[in-house]
Amino acid sequence: MGDRTGIEWTDATWNPVRGCARVSAGCQHCYAERVAARFAGEGGPYEGLIHQKTGAWNGTVKLVPEALQIPWRWSRPRRIFVNSMSDLFHPDVPFEFIAAVFWVMSVTSRHTYQILTKRPERMLEFFHWLIARQGSEDLDFIVAVDGSLKGTPFVSDSAESAMDDSIHEAAQTIPEIRALWWEPYKAGKRGGYDNCGPGWPYENVWLGVSVENQKAAEERIPLLLQCPAAVRWISAEPLLGPVDLRAVSVPYVGTEGPLETSYRINALTGEKFAPPRWPDLQAGARIDWVVAGGESGPGARPMHPAWARSLLYQCTEAGVPFLFKQWGDWAPTEVVAGGDLGGDMRRDLVRIVKASRLHAWPASDGDSDGHFRPGDARMRRLGKKAAGRLLDGALLDEYPEAAHG
Ligand code: SF4
């Protein structure tokens, strides 16, 4: 964790939780896991979190309450990636602790917090829990992401106020938060409490999900769109297949039907293609920001240029800001100067089929143009730095401006 990071879309990382477990294809070469394995020895910060033989996460998470105060001490506003070394919504992170994280974010509104999860079902459950704590029967709200959702989520003023109160109340159960409570009143303290809170949903908290392929998009985006947030975003990295955000299927999870099994939504505009019954999404909910990139590191899988171009096209069409983070280790051969592959062509070439599944062969399986099919992309392993982050010659570095709920 720290005030410096090589992650292109943020200024700093903040890790009040350590440790994780793999959940999907995007986790296969988890960067956090590799870093943690280096510091998992006796007395190290990741001791007990890594499987000794495999070097993979062992599924244990460690809460780091003393880290809750870190953003508090940063007086200069930053974009902060929350939990780069874990997943805030891992099932073993208590809701009270998540509430404490939200409380810190709410009272340090000078910062912008970027939360990214592969577990949006638990994120939604967390918000339901907050409401339930307030005993808001008037909301007719029954918690469920498991097929029993009922009620109208988060649409009234009372719900907004209940969320805020609930976060503040739950946060106080963490001693480190209680210790912070009087900090703002200590004269001469740098950083600290921002006088005006941002209101609910917190404008300085961006909620996002990782989307490595269409399956992940279908599973995670509908849940994200049910969560109250000022800014919702996706990180399509590592991008492992084509993703169409203009027709994401929202599964039926109600108990009164089903008349339909699902409906589709354009996640970039919020347009629904069939009148939904349950679950209803947040009013006007849509994806406000898309980050895309390829994989880097050992075993990195190449990203077909068409997948990145398609996301750029979709975002441009919908007016949604798009940030191209990196090619990763593999770049399309047109990125190589002059397109000259040189003598080591056989070693570095792969072939990617333009389909929903990614196939990659070493060049020895087919090293001439004659073996490529229409739509295939020729990629070369240049390494992350050399491959760079230009998409068709352009640096795409957009961020969301307007926050809306
Ligand atoms: S959810 Fe994130 S931190 Fe956890 S294993 Fe997957 S990639 Fe790694």
Side-chain angles (χ1 to χ4, degrees), residues 24 29 57 64-65 70 98 112 135 139 150 185 206 212 233 258 260 277 300 324 326 331 335-336 345 363 398:
S24 65
H29 303 126
W57 293 121
V64 193
I70 289 174
I98 298 173
T112 298
L139 295 175
K150 267 188 169 181
Y185 306 105
W206 302 358
E212 63 262 42
W233 63 293
E260 317 92 16
R277 297 202 315 145
F324 186 64
Q326 61 176 38
V335 168
V336 182
M345 174 176 166
E398 297 177 330

Side-chain angles (χ1 to χ4, degrees), residues 19-24 26-33 57 83-87 90 116-119 210:
C20 201
R22 297 181 186 181
V23 290
S24 65
C27 300
Q28 192 174 325
H29 303 126
C30 174
Y31 173 77
E33 189 180 73
W57 293 121
N83 272 337
S84 62
M85 297 297 292
S86 182
D87 186 331
H90 184 286
L116 192 57
T117 185
K118 286 189 174 74
R119 297 169 169 92
S210 301

